[in-house]
Amino acid sequence: MTTNFDWTGRVGDVWAEEWQRTDRSLAGLARRLDAAILAVAPHGGTAIDLGCGAGGTSIALATARPQLAVTGIDLSPSLIAIARERAAGIPNLAFRVADAQSLGGAGADLLVSRHGVMFFDDPVAGFSALRDAANPGARLVFSCFRARTSNEWAVAVDDAVGNDVPPSEGYTPGPFGLSDPGFTADVFARAGWTEAEVQSIDFTYVAGEGEDPVEDALGFFSRIGPAARAMIDAAPDRRGAMRESLRAMLAARAADEVVAFGAGAWIWTATAGEPA
């Protein structure tokens, strides 16, 4: 599904260790996505959660639709292990390690994803594979980030650690890979998806909270996202300065035992066309 992000190894392991803080950061979006999924979800048949991570979206769907067989897939064995533990006792829910582009004729009636489909090396090939895994008329519902400039957390973190982010030119797999709605709509059309609709979502991205929200947010951003990647790549004598700059930015954001930022996402829905 991706070569830029090693979900099967180190990156997946880190996300598994950070799943609670990651879910917290996206909780405001998750509520809106879950509602959009339930608006089109059948009461029976099969559904697949693509890049399911620690299983939050799968669990919400399976709980609300007990007659729908839900399978969450992810490239990370560590994330799948956590998802299975969280979902113990939900009879219509299963998880497995799998690549979304290798589902073949899965015959899904619903495909969903929370931020799990922005990493295809070739998005047209990726979404074509998803269409092939779906029954004609099946619905696709997923979320992805809007532009970096619509996500205050990303801009603030990049500024704090000195990331020089060039203007986006074309598609690059990653968190903002599907931020251009015109590009995404064209991918759908070329990949055999019809009736595409998009909704713009603003939400609060909670990076830290509790008795010491600054240190909580610092720990999170030091392991997940652009600051983490920058510090890994930096020379050892630069990492301390980057960390202190990040801490100062987060301290300036702290209020009422929370460090939070504005964030923006798209929620897309589309319908699987007839096989090519």
Side-chain angles (χ1 to χ4, degrees), residues 23-145:
D23 274 15
R24 179 187 64 192
S25 71
L26 298 176
L29 169 64
R31 288 189 289 270
R32 304 285 293 275
L33 176 63
D34 290 343
I37 291 170
L38 289 181
V40 301
H43 287 270
T46 62
I48 300 174
D49 181 3
L50 309 160
C52 65
T57 302
S58 301
I59 291 168
L61 175 58
T63 301
R65 292 287 189 271
Q67 302 305 312
L68 180 66
V70 180
T71 300
I73 67 167
D74 201 282
L75 289 172
S76 168
S78 297
L79 282 165
I80 288 296
I82 290 171
R84 285 172 175 161
E85 181 178 350
R86 295 180 69 198
I90 304 176
N92 60 319
L93 178 57
F95 293 97
R96 62 187 178 94
V97 177
D99 188 325
Q101 292 189 92
S102 302
L103 296 174
D109 302 296
L110 175 67
L111 296 173
V112 304
S113 185
R114 190 194 72 185
H115 278 42
V117 293
M118 304 103 77
F119 303 94
F120 294 123
D121 290 331
D122 180 339
V124 174
F127 279 94
S128 294
L130 298 185
R131 192 273 318 277
D132 292 342
N135 289 324
R139 303 305 296 276
L140 169 67
V141 186
F142 71 86
S143 65
C144 60
F145 282 123

Side-chain angles (χ1 to χ4, degrees), residues 181-251:
F183 172 84
T184 306
D186 181 65
V187 168
F188 284 154
R190 295 168 62 193
W193 291 92
T194 66
E195 302 174 6
E197 297 182 358
V198 66
Q199 181 182 7
S200 178
I201 302 296
D202 294 315
F203 66 101
T204 300
Y205 187 104
V206 177
E209 62 183 2
E211 293 184 2
D212 194 340
V214 173
E215 288 302 311
D216 187 27
L218 181 64
F220 180 49
F221 282 138
S222 295
R223 306 204 72 209
I224 298 286
R229 291 192 293 273
M231 286 191 281
I232 288 172
D233 294 339
D237 60 352
R238 275 280 299 138
R239 290 174 191 159
M242 294 167 75
R243 188 176 179 87
E244 289 309 308
S245 177
L246 185 59
R247 178 184 280 112
M249 180 274 289
L250 295 170

